[in-house]
Amino acid sequence: MTMLESSLESLTDAEWDIAHAIAQTLVKEDTDINELGKAVAYLRTIVDKPDATSRFFKYLKTLVSNGRVIGHSGKTSNYYRSIEKACSDSLKSVGNAYTILQILGWVSRLMRYYKDAGVPIGEIPIFTASPVESSRQVEIAKVVQSQDFQVDQILEAKVTKINGNKVTYEILGTIKLTEKEPKKASVLKEGQTVKVKIVSLKEDGSIKSVKCVD
């Protein structure tokens, strides 16, 4: 299976929200689906390039700048502005070009659904594009869900960075916290494993702060 085929298998809930949000925006602004199709076609030709994402957003800005020259009607510039703004607002956090291509493919389908399936624009439910979680955020969430952290609990932590009196700890191989350790920073070493005590927790049960007890 190629990377493209793998990325096209499914969307996360957050990515579906983004697709719906962009489609709604473009339909409500009466944007021509064919113009979005041109942007999608361009991305498809460069999707395997290492700088595909940045090149795609630069391409959208170029369309806006040259809309009057390359457009087929007086509305073309407006179409390009709508597409560029909707994509910039909703896709900047995605980063991966294959995922962006997948989302925009569904945007085209959703736009046709909203426009052609008899769904009045005023009745389109409002979707808010939620931030796409990074792989690191996902890993941290998994660790939090698998643990029952308690205040005063003692854990092993690796010292990953020391900057003045600030020490960065890595707990359970995933959670990183930077704490002020005025009495400990000068005697600790990066790479060292120490014992830390949980001082406070966040509302979701994750660790808010710790203190070295070695």
Side-chain angles (χ1 to χ4, degrees), residues 144 147-155 171 175 177 179 197-210:
V144 172
Q147 301 288 326
D148 182 22
F149 296 121
Q150 302 292 330
V151 172
D152 292 333
Q153 181 180 350
I154 304 297
L155 298 168
I171 301 168
I175 301 170
L177 296 168
E179 305 288 356
K197 179 173 69 174
I198 297 178
V199 176
S200 60
L201 298 171
K202 298 178 183 178
E203 291 185 3
D204 63 0
S206 60
I207 302 172
K208 183 177 182 180
S209 63
V210 296

Side-chain angles (χ1 to χ4, degrees), residues 14-192:
E15 289 161 0
W16 274 116
D17 286 349
I18 290 173
H20 278 284
I22 295 175
Q24 289 174 5
T25 298
L26 297 183
V27 169
K28 289 181 179 180
E29 295 181 0
D30 198 27
T31 304
D32 188 339
I33 296 176
N34 294 323
E35 299 302 337
L36 175 65
K38 293 176 184 177
V40 173
Y42 172 77
L43 178 57
R44 187 175 291 114
T45 65
I46 62 165
V47 71
D48 59 342
K49 306 297 183 184
D51 59 346
T53 301
S54 61
R55 285 173 64 177
F56 174 67
F57 286 115
K58 186 179 295 184
Y59 172 76
L60 294 181
K61 290 184 181 299
T62 300
L63 289 180
V64 173
S65 300
N66 300 299
R68 293 184 181 278
V69 178
I70 63 179
H72 301 296
S73 73
K75 294 182 178 180
T76 305
S77 294
N78 292 333
Y79 298 154
Y80 291 152
R81 274 193 289 270
S82 295
I83 292 169
E84 191 276 330
K85 186 176 188 308
C87 289
S88 294
D89 289 348
S90 300
L91 294 172
K92 283 293 190 182
S93 62
V94 177
N96 184 280
Y98 288 95
T99 303
I100 291 175
L101 180 60
Q102 180 191 14
I103 290 171
L104 291 179
W106 278 106
V107 168
S108 296
R109 296 180 181 91
L110 290 168
M111 285 179 70
R112 290 188 175 89
Y113 166 73
Y114 287 136
K115 293 186 74 170
D116 302 334
V119 181
I121 291 179
E123 295 179 14
I124 297 176
I126 300 301
F127 284 82
T128 301
S130 53
V132 177
E133 290 185 306
S134 67
S135 58
R136 175 167 173 74
Q137 288 174 317
V138 172
E139 288 302 315
I140 292 173
K142 288 180 180 178
V143 170
V144 172
Q145 291 172 4
S146 67
Q147 301 288 326
D148 182 22
F149 296 121
Q150 302 292 330
V151 172
D152 292 333
Q153 181 180 350
I154 304 297
L155 298 168
E156 280 196 349
K158 180 180 179 181
V159 177
T160 61
K161 184 178 180 181
I162 300 174
N163 184 10
N165 67 352
K166 293 182 179 180
V167 179
T168 300
Y169 299 108
E170 183 179 85
I171 301 168
L172 298 174
T174 304
I175 301 170
K176 287 190 177 182
L177 296 168
T178 300
E179 305 288 356
K180 287 185 177 180
E181 295 280 13
K183 296 181 179 180
K184 298 285 186 178
S186 61
V187 297
L188 294 175
K189 295 181 179 179
E190 293 183 4
Q192 180 180 355

